[in-house]
Amino acid sequence: MMSLCNRGQGPGDRAQGLNPFERIASSGPAPTPYLCSAGQNPAISLQKLLSFSLLLIAGLSLAADPTTAATANPTDPLWMVGIKAFLVIFGLLTAFAYMTLIERRLLARIQIRQGPNRVGPNGLFQPIADAIKSIFKEDIIVARADKVIFVMAPLISVTFALLTFGLIPFGPKDAFFGYDPWVIDLDVGILYVFAVSEMAIYGIFLAGWASKSKYSLLGSLRSSASLISYELALGISLLAPVLLVGSLNLREIVEWQYQNGWLVLYMLPAFAIFLLTSMAEAARTPFDLPEAEQELVSGYNTEYSSIKWALFQMAEYIHLITASAMIPTIFLGGWRMPGFLEQIPLIGGLFALPFVWMFVKIALFLFFFIWVRGTLFRLRYDQLMVFSWGRLFPLALAWFVLAALVVAFKLPTATLGWLSLLSLLVFSVYVTLTAKPKPRVTPRMGAGD
Amino acid sequence: MSVGLWEVLALLLLIGSGLAVVRLQNAVHAALALIANFLVVAGVYVALEARFVAMIQIIVYAGAIVVLFLFVIMLLSAASANVGQDLMPRLPWVAGLGAIGLAGLLTFAVTRFQPPANAPALGGGLPQALGPLLYDPEKWLYALLAVGFLLLVATVAAVVLIEPERIISATGHPAHPRRDKMPTPPMSEQKDEKAVVKR
């Protein structure tokens, strides 16, 4: 905005000296419409354009670095990696389209409604209709927006959302027509997942800022505040499994679980914390504060329309799908079937297909997320922070120290299983003792609490 | 060490994004250029087979630290201001001299550098190889603990500094009368607050 017009015209400058939230609030009913006149509006400056293309090239060159390509997947030829990457992206986009339909139908069922069932049999063509609608709608770029970042934000969101899924192994080596059923096989796998998911926040963050709208800015501030609070618990909850397995590689984690049993048996608290924080990471109910429809008019994407809005939706659902694939991969045996099924001779042979179990587990967790959305209400942002910093983070840390002690003193791995059961017991007792009916509703601000 | 396309590209990108960080007038744009710079540095680490450090670079610097930068920028009024305009007039000269000095030092270091004969094999810089080095009492354990303790002290100090009320009650000097110095909100907001109270 500021490079396009002179300084000192915006409502932000008028209200300088107030604290930012008052400034945002006071800039709302701006008396003068703030639009650049045609003479003052020389598109986008060359310097800025250069620097942003720089950012894109930087990201791409990181991925295209020959050393990365050589170490990431040494067995498959590069063209095969390309095909698999295309398949993953195509599959994710299709899954996104139909996830919208499935989610709406399931939510409708939970809320005793019909849901979209008119376009095609059972509403099966609804995603296509939605896609056509959002592509052909008018694409509005707000006059006061920072145009480059406004356009870039949804692209950043979607790009970094797509980057994680290629890491997830879908079967044993050579299961995909003689090639490996994963796109990249990084030995720093889990760290890569963290890195990409942190980068993905910038899409939401910049979208809110570039819109120059109070709701959007509040939404993006909320998203960064919640990021700071849940990210720590997310990271530390994964430390204990990594410590036990002794590897950051997702494929080796799955192999370890095949040898020793699923990690959820040994790491129940870590599993619970990771499940909760993944929900926060995908910005799902009950943690969807950045896009609270009622308070923030859907937050960071208020000013977005048409295909840019659809891109944000896409990123959100892809995060959801990736989370539902990460949780079983790390804690529930990945693409392997449950061990006891393998013992039964007939079924063990029948269902030992490589891809089926992964899809089943992903579908289970997707259903779980939709179920939670249909059941729970949204937390307030201070509740999320207290919950993350005050409960999840110390719990994750305590469990990590316990697991580290078990590993350090070379106790048998089963000790962790017993400790998991004990923690479940302690949790149930705690909940039973402390839970009591609360007569008061949540106090409102200013209502004399 | 051969100089290939990637090395040249990384050089250009590093210098370009670094210049953009310094030269861009809008603070948020500068922070974005900083992310680009960190990503390229991570790429350089990957090319040097230090994959663990590369990922940590992205998580800690490009992720957490720049998020904090942006958070502060957005909370301050600098969110929509051109902060690059009021440069200190003599600062570029001093910075230029510093840059020349640093370049000289680095050139000296690079020309005199002898790679150690028995460098430990770090195996891609993975934690399995790094951990025993860092946490070995004969190597760097105590230095690491000292750094951790320093950071803890800094954190505690920061928490103490931003909590004036507790200090005030302890000493009895109300140094920061918060309510009085707050600017009175505009009329529209006052009405709103009353409305909320009534409800």
Side-chain angles (χ1 to χ4, degrees):
Chain A
M1 166 180 114
M2 294 319 290
S3 74
L4 303 180
C5 304
N6 288 333
R7 270 192 87 182
Q9 290 184 350
D13 296 307
R14 207 166 18 80
Q16 254 174 13
L18 302 183
N19 82 43
F21 287 100
E22 282 170 356
R23 187 162 57 77
I24 295 162
S26 67
S27 73
T32 48
Y34 181 68
L35 293 169
C36 302
S37 67
Q40 276 178 324
N41 198 352
I44 299 148
S45 72
L46 189 68
Q47 192 190 14
K48 208 185 282 182
L49 201 69
L50 264 179
S51 59
F52 287 126
S53 48
L54 206 74
L55 181 75
L56 274 185
I57 295 170
L60 286 180
S61 64
L62 176 67
D65 173 38
T67 325
T68 321
T71 52
N73 202 339
T75 53
D76 282 358
L78 207 57
W79 60 269
M80 196 59 215
V81 177
I83 289 178
K84 285 189 293 193
F86 173 78
L87 273 181
V88 162
I89 290 176
F90 184 77
L92 276 179
L93 295 188
T94 318
F96 147 69
Y98 276 89
M99 264 304 289
T100 58
L101 176 68
I102 292 168
E103 171 150 37
R104 287 166 72 185
R105 294 287 301 218
L106 272 176
L107 279 181
R109 176 152 287 225
I110 289 171
Q111 297 161 353
I112 325 180
R113 296 184 282 120
Q114 282 290 320
N117 63 353
R118 286 295 181 268
V119 192
N122 277 319
L124 270 182
F125 298 147
Q126 183 71 40
I128 301 169
D130 284 343
I132 293 172
K133 186 194 82 170
S134 55
I135 288 171
F136 284 105
K137 270 176 98 169
E138 186 186 358
D139 191 7
I140 297 169
I141 296 182
V142 190
R144 281 167 57 183
D146 190 314
K147 295 202 173 47
V148 185
I149 299 185
F150 190 80
V151 175
M152 257 177 56
L155 297 180
I156 292 178
S157 244
V158 146
T159 311
F160 284 109
L162 284 169
L163 274 180
T164 320
F165 203 82
L167 217 64
I168 288 157
F170 267 79
K173 215 169 163 48
D174 306 331
F176 184 70
F177 303 115
Y179 297 99
D180 297 338
W182 51 79
V183 182
I184 40 176
D185 178 23
L186 286 175
D187 40 16
V188 284
I190 286 181
L191 290 177
Y192 172 84
V193 172
F194 280 142
V196 170
S197 70
E198 279 203 353
M199 291 285 106
I201 287 294
Y202 285 120
I204 292 175
F205 206 52
L206 295 171
W209 177 78
S211 301
K212 296 280 158 67
S213 142
K214 57 180 171 184
Y215 295 124
S216 305
L217 188 57
L218 283 175
S220 71
L221 280 178
R222 277 187 184 191
S223 83
S224 59
S226 61
L227 166 85
I228 293 168
S229 49
Y230 70 72
E231 193 77 26
L232 216 53
L234 179 74
I236 289 176
S237 74
L238 280 190
L239 277 184
V242 165
L243 195 67
L244 189 59
V245 175
S247 169
L248 289 164
N249 191 326
L250 288 179
R251 194 171 45 77
E252 284 172 17
I253 290 176
V254 172
E255 278 311 307
W256 188 93
Q257 296 181 71
Y258 181 60
Q259 305 291 336
N260 300 291
W262 288 2
L263 265 174
V264 67
L265 300 175
Y266 303 110
M267 296 278 160
L268 196 61
F271 170 73
I273 294 166
F274 187 66
L275 188 67
L276 288 172
T277 45
S278 325
M279 252 188 268
E281 190 184 17
R284 295 285 298 184
T285 324
F287 305 116
D288 59 344
L289 344 140
E291 42 178 320
E293 289 90 351
Q294 290 86 357
E295 318 138 48
L296 294 182
V297 207
S298 84
Y300 65 91
N301 57 19
T302 304
E303 307 293 341
Y304 282 86
S305 58
S306 179
I307 191 70
K308 293 205 197 74
W309 178 83
L311 283 179
F312 277 123
Q313 293 297 308
M314 204 183 276
E316 190 191 323
Y317 277 98
I318 291 169
H319 274 303
L320 188 67
I321 297 168
T322 311
S324 337
M326 286 296 295
I327 296 167
T329 303
I330 296 174
F331 287 102
L332 294 175
W335 51 268
R336 300 271 188 185
M337 73 163 97
F340 63 90
L341 276 183
E342 236 165 33
Q343 307 299 325
I344 309 166
L346 251 181
I347 301 177
L350 206 60
F351 291 104
L353 299 168
F355 293 90
V356 173
W357 284 100
M358 196 66 208
F359 285 126
V360 167
K361 288 171 186 173
I362 291 177
L364 274 179
F365 274 95
L366 284 176
F367 174 75
F368 172 75
F369 283 133
I370 296 170
W371 191 14
V372 167
R373 179 175 172 185
T375 313
L376 293 181
F377 47 83
R378 178 183 307 128
L379 291 178
R380 257 181 3 229
Y381 65 93
D382 58 325
Q383 286 173 329
L384 169 66
M385 299 215 197
V386 168
F387 183 60
S388 301
W389 282 108
R391 301 283 165 84
L392 289 185
F393 175 57
L395 264 182
L397 208 58
W399 181 254
F400 167 60
V401 171
L402 265 181
L405 284 177
V406 168
V407 172
F409 289 111
K410 297 198 169 53
L411 299 176
T413 324
T415 317
L416 280 170
W418 290 111
L419 281 175
S420 289
L421 274 183
L422 188 68
S423 67
L424 189 65
L425 188 72
V426 168
F427 178 73
S428 341
V429 169
Y430 174 76
V431 168
T432 318
L433 288 184
T434 56
K436 51 191 171 195
K438 288 190 178 172
R440 270 192 333 155
V441 291
T442 319
R444 276 176 173 271
M445 214 165 81
D449 176 52
Chain B
M1 183 178 155
S2 64
V3 175
L5 179 65
W6 162 245
E7 278 81 7
V8 178
L9 191 67
L11 176 73
L12 291 178
L13 284 171
L14 273 180
I15 293 177
S17 55
L19 277 179
V21 174
V22 186
R23 293 303 302 170
L24 278 178
Q25 306 241 306
N26 191 311
V28 173
H29 295 173
L32 273 184
L34 192 62
I35 300 174
N37 195 308
F38 286 153
L39 285 183
V40 182
V41 171
V44 172
Y45 285 146
V46 171
L48 293 173
E49 295 233 342
R51 294 190 281 279
F52 179 69
V53 182
M55 290 304 153
I56 294 298
Q57 164 85 13
I58 296 181
I59 293 172
V60 174
Y61 287 93
I65 288 188
V66 182
V67 161
L68 279 180
F69 280 3
L70 282 173
F71 199 69
V72 172
I73 291 170
M74 285 184 190
L75 277 179
L76 296 176
S77 55
S80 58
N82 295 344
V83 291
Q85 284 183 339
D86 302 322
L87 283 175
M88 281 180 278
R90 292 202 183 81
L91 191 62
W93 292 99
V94 179
L97 280 180
I100 292 172
L102 186 65
L105 200 67
L106 282 179
T107 320
F108 180 74
V110 165
T111 49
R112 290 300 176 87
F113 176 69
Q114 297 289 334
N118 51 354
L122 285 181
L126 286 180
Q128 287 95 326
L130 276 182
L133 280 180
L134 278 181
Y135 291 95
D136 189 351
E138 292 177 5
K139 295 256 170 56
W140 290 305
L141 175 66
Y142 297 112
L144 197 73
L145 287 180
V147 171
F149 188 70
L150 200 64
L151 287 175
L152 181 69
V153 168
T155 315
V156 171
V159 171
V160 169
L161 280 179
I162 61 163
E163 240 183 29
E165 305 211 346
R166 190 168 296 169
I167 298 170
I168 291 163
S169 64
T171 55
H173 288 291
H176 300 283
R178 283 174 150 201
R179 293 274 166 188
D180 309 337
K181 289 200 173 176
M182 287 274 279
T184 49
M187 284 305 286
S188 59
E189 267 198 18
Q190 286 180 350
K191 277 176 191 167
D192 280 345
E193 275 177 13
K194 275 174 195 166
V196 170
V197 172
K198 268 177 197 169
R199 209 190 307 144

